[in-house]
Amino acid sequence: PETAFFARLNREFQKLAGTADRLIVIHRSFTKEDAPDIVAQRIREVTDQRAGIIVVAQDHPAIVAALREADARGVPLVLLVSDLRYGGNAVYVGIDNESAGRTAGFFMRQMLQGRTGRVIALCHSGGYVTHRQRMIGFARHFARLDAPLVFTHCLAGHDSDELSCQLILGVLRQFDDVVG
């Protein structure tokens, strides 16, 4: 739970565990997101020990392979927050991220009505399907060639205030037409 979102999600699972039937045990496990091989190994380790697995993970070949193996063994899988589209039977629980990106683009365009210039976006990274879907939706909202607003950059701030600030300042120094 390195980010506020995942810290809240963790607390909600803790609350849920406290209200579930005594026969239901919820195990929570965390790894660094920049260690996909460890995430894949963790999935493999718990596959035979759990009635099902809920996974929040980035779209990485090692993780996808581990999910396919678990799926082939009949382990129920829930992909939470980010769909991995690995081709198996997992259930995705989360929002329509492309629609969320289009909505963000809509509101950005509304706020900048009448202005001309460059629009940039800040996201966590491209390692998660959810982030790529949001950026696709956002970019599509600015796709018209004759539009006065042009989407040009997606900055990967990895939920770091310091890195995000540096990236945004870098773009602002490089271009004088950033309006959003």
Side-chain angles (χ1 to χ4, degrees), residues 84-146:
L84 296 179
R85 294 185 177 174
Y86 73 101
N89 295 310
V91 175
Y92 166 65
V93 177
I95 65 171
D96 177 337
N97 287 293
E98 196 168 322
S99 179
R102 284 192 309 272
T103 301
F106 168 81
F107 284 114
M108 177 67 76
R109 185 179 292 284
Q110 291 299 109
M111 288 186 295
L112 297 172
Q113 222 167 25
R115 301 197 56 194
T116 300
R118 190 178 301 261
V119 174
I120 62 172
L122 179 66
C123 76
H124 178 276
S125 73
Y128 293 82
V129 171
T130 183
H131 296 146
R132 294 193 302 270
Q133 290 169 329
R134 288 179 198 165
M135 292 318 308
I136 288 168
F138 189 80
R140 283 186 177 160
H141 205 76
F142 295 95
R144 284 194 356 247
L145 295 176
D146 63 338

Coordinates of all heavy atoms in Angstrom, one line a residue, residues 84-146:
L84 N -6.0 -7.4 -16.9 CA -4.7 -7.8 -17.6 C -5.0 -8.4 -19.0 O -4.1 -8.7 -19.7 CB -4.0 -8.8 -16.7 CG -3.5 -8.3 -15.4 CD1 -2.7 -9.3 -14.6 CD2 -2.6 -7.1 -15.6
R85 N -6.2 -8.7 -19.3 CA -6.6 -9.3 -20.6 C -5.7 -10.4 -21.0 O -5.1 -10.5 -22.1 CB -6.5 -8.2 -21.7 CG -7.5 -7.1 -21.5 CD -7.5 -6.1 -22.6 NE -8.5 -5.1 -22.4 CZ -8.6 -4.1 -23.2 NH1 -7.8 -3.8 -24.2 NH2 -9.6 -3.2 -23.0
Y86 N -5.5 -11.4 -20.1 CA -4.6 -12.5 -20.4 C -5.3 -13.6 -21.1 O -4.7 -14.6 -21.4 CB -4.0 -13.0 -19.1 CG -5.0 -13.7 -18.2 CD1 -5.0 -15.1 -18.1 CD2 -5.9 -13.1 -17.4 CE1 -5.9 -15.8 -17.4 CE2 -6.8 -13.8 -16.7 CZ -6.8 -15.1 -16.6 OH -7.7 -15.8 -15.9
G87 N -6.6 -13.5 -21.4 CA -7.3 -14.5 -22.2 C -7.9 -15.6 -21.4 O -8.4 -16.6 -21.9
G88 N -7.9 -15.5 -20.1 CA -8.5 -16.6 -19.2 C -9.8 -16.3 -18.7 O -10.6 -15.4 -19.2
N89 N -10.2 -16.9 -17.6 CA -11.5 -16.8 -17.1 C -11.7 -15.9 -15.9 O -12.7 -15.8 -15.2 CB -12.0 -18.2 -16.6 CG -12.1 -19.2 -17.8 OD1 -12.8 -18.8 -18.7 ND2 -11.5 -20.3 -17.6
A90 N -10.6 -15.1 -15.6 CA -10.7 -14.1 -14.5 C -11.8 -13.1 -14.7 O -12.2 -12.8 -15.8 CB -9.4 -13.4 -14.4
V91 N -12.3 -12.7 -13.6 CA -13.4 -11.7 -13.6 C -12.7 -10.3 -13.3 O -11.8 -10.3 -12.4 CB -14.4 -11.9 -12.5 CG1 -15.4 -10.8 -12.4 CG2 -15.1 -13.3 -12.8
Y92 N -13.0 -9.3 -14.1 CA -12.4 -8.0 -13.8 C -13.4 -7.2 -13.0 O -14.6 -7.1 -13.4 CB -12.1 -7.3 -15.1 CG -11.8 -5.8 -15.0 CD1 -10.7 -5.4 -14.3 CD2 -12.7 -4.9 -15.5 CE1 -10.5 -4.0 -14.1 CE2 -12.4 -3.5 -15.4 CZ -11.3 -3.1 -14.6 OH -11.1 -1.7 -14.5
V93 N -12.9 -6.6 -11.9 CA -13.8 -5.7 -11.1 C -13.1 -4.3 -11.1 O -12.0 -4.2 -10.6 CB -13.9 -6.2 -9.7 CG1 -14.7 -5.3 -8.8 CG2 -14.5 -7.6 -9.7
G94 N -13.7 -3.4 -11.7 CA -13.2 -2.0 -11.8 C -14.0 -1.2 -12.8 O -15.0 -1.7 -13.3
I95 N -13.6 0.0 -13.0 CA -14.3 0.9 -13.8 C -13.9 0.7 -15.3 O -12.9 0.0 -15.6 CB -14.0 2.4 -13.4 CG1 -12.5 2.7 -13.7 CG2 -14.4 2.6 -12.0 CD1 -12.3 4.2 -13.5
D96 N -14.7 1.3 -16.2 CA -14.3 1.3 -17.6 C -13.3 2.5 -17.8 O -13.6 3.6 -17.8 CB -15.6 1.6 -18.4 CG -15.3 1.8 -19.9 OD1 -14.2 2.0 -20.3 OD2 -16.3 1.6 -20.7
N97 N -12.0 2.1 -17.8 CA -10.9 3.0 -17.8 C -10.8 3.9 -19.0 O -10.5 5.1 -19.0 CB -9.6 2.3 -17.5 CG -9.6 1.9 -16.1 OD1 -9.5 2.7 -15.2 ND2 -9.6 0.6 -15.9
E98 N -11.2 3.3 -20.2 CA -11.1 4.2 -21.4 C -12.2 5.3 -21.3 O -12.0 6.4 -21.7 CB -11.3 3.3 -22.6 CG -11.0 4.0 -23.9 CD -10.9 3.1 -25.1 OE1 -10.4 2.0 -25.0 OE2 -11.3 3.6 -26.2
S99 N -13.4 4.9 -20.8 CA -14.4 5.9 -20.6 C -14.0 7.0 -19.6 O -14.2 8.1 -19.7 CB -15.7 5.2 -20.1 OG -16.7 6.2 -19.9
A100 N -13.3 6.5 -18.5 CA -12.8 7.5 -17.5 C -11.8 8.4 -18.2 O -11.8 9.6 -17.9 CB -12.1 6.7 -16.4
G101 N -10.9 7.9 -19.1 CA -10.0 8.8 -19.8 C -10.7 9.8 -20.7 O -10.4 11.0 -20.7
R102 N -11.8 9.3 -21.4 CA -12.6 10.2 -22.2 C -13.2 11.3 -21.4 O -13.3 12.5 -21.8 CB -13.6 9.5 -23.0 CG -13.0 8.7 -24.2 CD -14.1 8.2 -25.2 NE -15.2 7.4 -24.5 CZ -15.1 6.1 -24.3 NH1 -14.1 5.4 -24.6 NH2 -16.1 5.5 -23.7
T103 N -13.7 10.9 -20.2 CA -14.4 11.9 -19.3 C -13.4 12.9 -18.9 O -13.7 14.1 -18.8 CB -15.0 11.1 -18.1 OG1 -15.9 10.2 -18.6 CG2 -15.7 12.1 -17.2
A104 N -12.2 12.5 -18.5 CA -11.1 13.5 -18.1 C -10.8 14.4 -19.3 O -10.7 15.6 -19.1 CB -9.9 12.7 -17.7
G105 N -10.7 13.8 -20.5 CA -10.5 14.7 -21.6 C -11.6 15.7 -21.9 O -11.4 16.8 -22.2
F106 N -12.9 15.2 -21.7 CA -14.0 16.1 -21.8 C -13.9 17.3 -20.9 O -14.1 18.4 -21.3 CB -15.3 15.3 -21.6 CG -16.5 16.2 -21.5 CD1 -17.2 16.7 -22.6 CD2 -17.0 16.5 -20.2 CE1 -18.3 17.5 -22.5 CE2 -18.1 17.3 -20.1 CZ -18.8 17.8 -21.2
F107 N -13.7 17.0 -19.6 CA -13.6 18.1 -18.6 C -12.4 19.0 -18.9 O -12.5 20.2 -18.7 CB -13.6 17.5 -17.2 CG -15.0 17.1 -16.7 CD1 -15.2 15.7 -16.5 CD2 -16.0 18.0 -16.6 CE1 -16.5 15.3 -16.1 CE2 -17.3 17.6 -16.2 CZ -17.5 16.2 -16.0
M108 N -11.3 18.4 -19.3 CA -10.1 19.3 -19.6 C -10.5 20.2 -20.8 O -10.2 21.4 -20.7 CB -8.9 18.4 -20.0 CG -7.7 19.2 -20.4 SD -6.9 20.2 -19.1 CE -6.1 18.9 -18.2
R109 N -11.1 19.7 -21.8 CA -11.5 20.5 -22.9 C -12.5 21.6 -22.5 O -12.4 22.7 -22.9 CB -12.1 19.7 -24.1 CG -12.4 20.5 -25.3 CD -13.0 19.6 -26.4 NE -12.1 18.7 -27.0 CZ -11.1 19.0 -27.8 NH1 -10.9 20.2 -28.2 NH2 -10.3 18.0 -28.3
Q110 N -13.5 21.2 -21.6 CA -14.4 22.2 -21.2 C -13.8 23.3 -20.4 O -14.1 24.5 -20.5 CB -15.5 21.5 -20.3 CG -16.4 20.6 -21.0 CD -17.2 21.3 -22.1 OE1 -17.0 21.1 -23.3 NE2 -18.2 22.1 -21.7
M111 N -12.8 23.0 -19.5 CA -12.1 24.0 -18.7 C -11.3 24.9 -19.6 O -11.0 26.1 -19.2 CB -11.2 23.3 -17.7 CG -12.0 22.7 -16.6 SD -10.9 22.1 -15.2 CE -10.0 20.8 -16.1
L112 N -10.8 24.4 -20.7 CA -9.9 25.2 -21.6 C -10.6 25.8 -22.8 O -10.0 26.2 -23.7 CB -8.8 24.3 -22.0 CG -7.8 23.8 -20.9 CD1 -6.9 22.8 -21.5 CD2 -7.1 24.9 -20.3
Q113 N -11.9 25.8 -22.8 CA -12.7 26.3 -23.9 C -12.2 27.6 -24.4 O -12.0 28.5 -23.6 CB -14.2 26.3 -23.5 CG -15.1 25.8 -24.6 CD -16.5 25.6 -24.1 OE1 -16.9 26.2 -23.1 NE2 -17.2 24.8 -24.7
G114 N -12.0 27.7 -25.7 CA -11.6 29.0 -26.3 C -10.0 29.2 -26.2 O -9.5 30.1 -26.8
R115 N -9.3 28.3 -25.6 CA -7.9 28.4 -25.6 C -7.2 27.5 -26.7 O -7.8 26.5 -27.1 CB -7.3 28.0 -24.2 CG -8.0 28.9 -23.2 CD -7.3 29.0 -21.9 NE -5.9 29.3 -21.9 CZ -5.2 29.2 -20.8 NH1 -5.6 28.7 -19.7 NH2 -3.9 29.5 -20.9
T116 N -6.0 27.8 -27.0 CA -5.3 27.1 -28.0 C -4.0 26.7 -27.4 O -3.3 27.5 -26.8 CB -5.0 27.9 -29.3 OG1 -6.3 28.3 -29.8 CG2 -4.3 27.2 -30.3
G117 N -3.6 25.4 -27.6 CA -2.3 25.0 -27.2 C -2.2 23.5 -26.9 O -3.0 22.7 -27.2
R118 N -1.1 23.2 -26.2 CA -0.7 21.9 -25.9 C -1.3 21.4 -24.5 O -1.4 22.2 -23.6 CB 0.8 21.9 -25.7 CG 1.5 20.6 -25.7 CD 3.0 20.8 -25.6 NE 3.5 21.6 -26.8 CZ 4.1 21.0 -27.8 NH1 4.3 19.7 -27.8 NH2 4.5 21.7 -28.8
V119 N -1.8 20.2 -24.5 CA -2.3 19.5 -23.3 C -1.4 18.3 -23.0 O -1.1 17.6 -23.9 CB -3.8 19.0 -23.5 CG1 -4.3 18.3 -22.3 CG2 -4.7 20.2 -23.8
I120 N -1.1 18.2 -21.7 CA -0.3 17.1 -21.3 C -1.1 16.3 -20.2 O -2.0 16.8 -19.6 CB 1.1 17.6 -20.7 CG1 0.9 18.4 -19.5 CG2 1.9 18.3 -21.8 CD1 2.2 18.8 -18.7
A121 N -0.7 15.1 -20.0 CA -1.3 14.3 -19.0 C -0.3 13.7 -18.0 O 0.9 13.5 -18.4 CB -2.1 13.2 -19.6
L122 N -0.7 13.5 -16.8 CA 0.2 12.8 -15.8 C -0.5 11.6 -15.4 O -1.6 11.6 -15.0 CB 0.4 13.8 -14.6 CG 1.2 13.3 -13.5 CD1 2.7 13.2 -13.9 CD2 1.1 14.3 -12.3
C123 N 0.2 10.5 -15.5 CA -0.3 9.2 -15.0 C 0.8 8.5 -14.2 O 1.9 8.9 -14.2 CB -0.8 8.3 -16.2 SG 0.4 7.5 -17.2
H124 N 0.4 7.4 -13.7 CA 1.3 6.6 -12.9 C 2.4 6.0 -13.8 O 3.6 6.3 -13.6 CB 0.6 5.5 -12.1 CG 1.5 4.6 -11.3 ND1 2.2 3.5 -11.9 CD2 1.9 4.6 -10.0 CE1 2.9 2.9 -11.0 NE2 2.7 3.6 -9.8
S125 N 2.0 5.2 -14.7 CA 3.0 4.5 -15.6 C 2.2 3.9 -16.7 O 1.0 3.9 -16.8 CB 3.8 3.5 -14.9 OG 3.1 2.3 -14.6
G126 N 2.9 3.2 -17.6 CA 2.2 2.5 -18.7 C 2.2 1.0 -18.4 O 1.8 0.2 -19.2
G127 N 2.6 0.6 -17.2 CA 2.8 -0.8 -16.8 C 1.5 -1.5 -16.6 O 1.4 -2.7 -16.5
Y128 N 0.4 -0.7 -16.4 CA -0.9 -1.3 -16.0 C -1.8 -1.1 -17.2 O -1.8 0.0 -17.8 CB -1.5 -0.7 -14.8 CG -0.7 -1.0 -13.5 CD1 0.4 -0.3 -13.2 CD2 -1.1 -2.0 -12.7 CE1 1.1 -0.6 -12.0 CE2 -0.4 -2.3 -11.5 CZ 0.7 -1.6 -11.2 OH 1.4 -1.9 -10.1
V129 N -2.6 -2.1 -17.6 CA -3.6 -1.9 -18.6 C -4.5 -0.7 -18.3 O -4.8 0.1 -19.2 CB -4.4 -3.2 -18.8 CG1 -5.6 -3.0 -19.8 CG2 -3.5 -4.3 -19.3
T130 N -4.9 -0.6 -17.1 CA -5.8 0.5 -16.7 C -5.2 1.9 -17.1 O -6.0 2.7 -17.6 CB -6.1 0.4 -15.2 OG1 -7.0 1.4 -14.9 CG2 -4.9 0.6 -14.3
H131 N -3.9 2.1 -16.9 CA -3.3 3.4 -17.2 C -3.3 3.6 -18.7 O -3.6 4.7 -19.2 CB -1.9 3.5 -16.7 CG -1.9 3.4 -15.2 ND1 -0.9 2.8 -14.5 CD2 -2.7 3.9 -14.3 CE1 -1.1 2.9 -13.2 NE2 -2.2 3.6 -13.0
R132 N -3.0 2.6 -19.5 CA -3.0 2.7 -20.9 C -4.4 3.0 -21.5 O -4.6 3.8 -22.4 CB -2.4 1.4 -21.6 CG -0.9 1.3 -21.2 CD -0.2 0.3 -22.1 NE -0.8 -1.1 -22.0 CZ -0.4 -2.0 -21.2 NH1 0.5 -1.8 -20.2 NH2 -1.0 -3.2 -21.2
Q133 N -5.4 2.3 -20.9 CA -6.8 2.5 -21.3 C -7.2 4.0 -21.0 O -7.9 4.6 -21.9 CB -7.7 1.5 -20.6 CG -7.6 0.1 -21.1 CD -8.3 -0.9 -20.2 OE1 -8.5 -0.6 -19.0 NE2 -8.8 -2.0 -20.8
R134 N -6.9 4.5 -19.9 CA -7.2 5.9 -19.6 C -6.6 6.8 -20.5 O -7.2 7.8 -21.0 CB -6.9 6.2 -18.1 CG -7.7 5.5 -17.1 CD -7.3 5.9 -15.7 NE -7.9 4.9 -14.8 CZ -7.5 4.8 -13.5 NH1 -6.5 5.6 -13.1 NH2 -8.1 3.9 -12.8
M135 N -5.3 6.6 -20.8 CA -4.6 7.5 -21.7 C -5.2 7.4 -23.2 O -5.3 8.4 -23.9 CB -3.1 7.2 -21.7 CG -2.4 7.5 -20.4 SD -2.9 9.1 -19.6 CE -2.7 10.3 -20.9
I136 N -5.6 6.2 -23.6 CA -6.2 6.1 -24.9 C -7.5 6.9 -24.9 O -7.8 7.6 -25.9 CB -6.5 4.6 -25.2 CG1 -5.2 3.9 -25.5 CG2 -7.5 4.4 -26.4 CD1 -5.3 2.3 -25.5
G137 N -8.3 6.8 -23.9 CA -9.6 7.5 -23.8 C -9.3 9.0 -23.8 O -10.0 9.8 -24.5
F138 N -8.3 9.5 -23.0 CA -8.0 10.9 -22.9 C -7.5 11.4 -24.3 O -7.9 12.4 -24.8 CB -6.9 11.1 -21.9 CG -6.6 12.5 -21.6 CD1 -7.4 13.2 -20.7 CD2 -5.5 13.1 -22.1 CE1 -7.2 14.5 -20.4 CE2 -5.2 14.5 -21.8 CZ -6.1 15.2 -20.9
A139 N -6.6 10.6 -24.9 CA -6.0 11.1 -26.2 C -7.1 11.1 -27.3 O -7.1 12.0 -28.1 CB -4.9 10.1 -26.6
R140 N -8.0 10.2 -27.3 CA -9.1 10.2 -28.3 C -9.9 11.5 -28.2 O -10.5 11.9 -29.2 CB -10.0 9.0 -28.1 CG -9.3 7.7 -28.7 CD -10.2 6.6 -28.7 NE -9.6 5.4 -29.3 CZ -9.9 4.2 -29.1 NH1 -11.0 3.9 -28.3 NH2 -9.3 3.2 -29.7
H141 N -10.0 12.0 -27.0 CA -10.8 13.2 -26.9 C -10.2 14.4 -27.6 O -10.8 15.4 -27.8 CB -11.1 13.5 -25.4 CG -12.3 14.3 -25.2 ND1 -13.6 13.8 -25.3 CD2 -12.5 15.7 -25.0 CE1 -14.5 14.8 -25.1 NE2 -13.9 15.9 -24.9
F142 N -8.9 14.3 -27.8 CA -8.1 15.4 -28.5 C -7.6 15.0 -29.9 O -6.7 15.7 -30.4 CB -6.9 15.8 -27.6 CG -7.3 16.4 -26.3 CD1 -7.4 15.6 -25.1 CD2 -7.6 17.7 -26.1 CE1 -7.8 16.1 -23.9 CE2 -8.0 18.3 -24.9 CZ -8.1 17.4 -23.8
A143 N -8.2 14.0 -30.5 CA -7.7 13.5 -31.7 C -8.0 14.3 -33.0 O -7.3 14.0 -34.0 CB -8.2 12.0 -31.9
R144 N -8.9 15.2 -33.0 CA -9.2 15.9 -34.2 C -8.0 16.8 -34.6 O -7.4 17.5 -33.8 CB -10.4 16.9 -33.9 CG -11.7 16.1 -33.9 CD -12.9 17.1 -34.0 NE -12.6 18.5 -34.0 CZ -13.0 19.4 -33.0 NH1 -13.6 18.9 -32.0 NH2 -12.7 20.6 -33.1
L145 N -7.7 16.6 -35.9 CA -6.5 17.4 -36.4 C -6.7 18.9 -36.4 O -5.7 19.6 -36.3 CB -6.2 16.9 -37.8 CG -5.7 15.4 -37.9 CD1 -5.5 15.0 -39.4 CD2 -4.5 15.2 -37.1
D146 N -7.9 19.3 -36.5 CA -8.2 20.8 -36.6 C -8.5 21.4 -35.2 O -8.9 22.5 -35.1 CB -9.4 21.0 -37.6 CG -10.7 20.4 -37.1 OD1 -10.6 19.4 -36.3 OD2 -11.7 20.9 -37.5

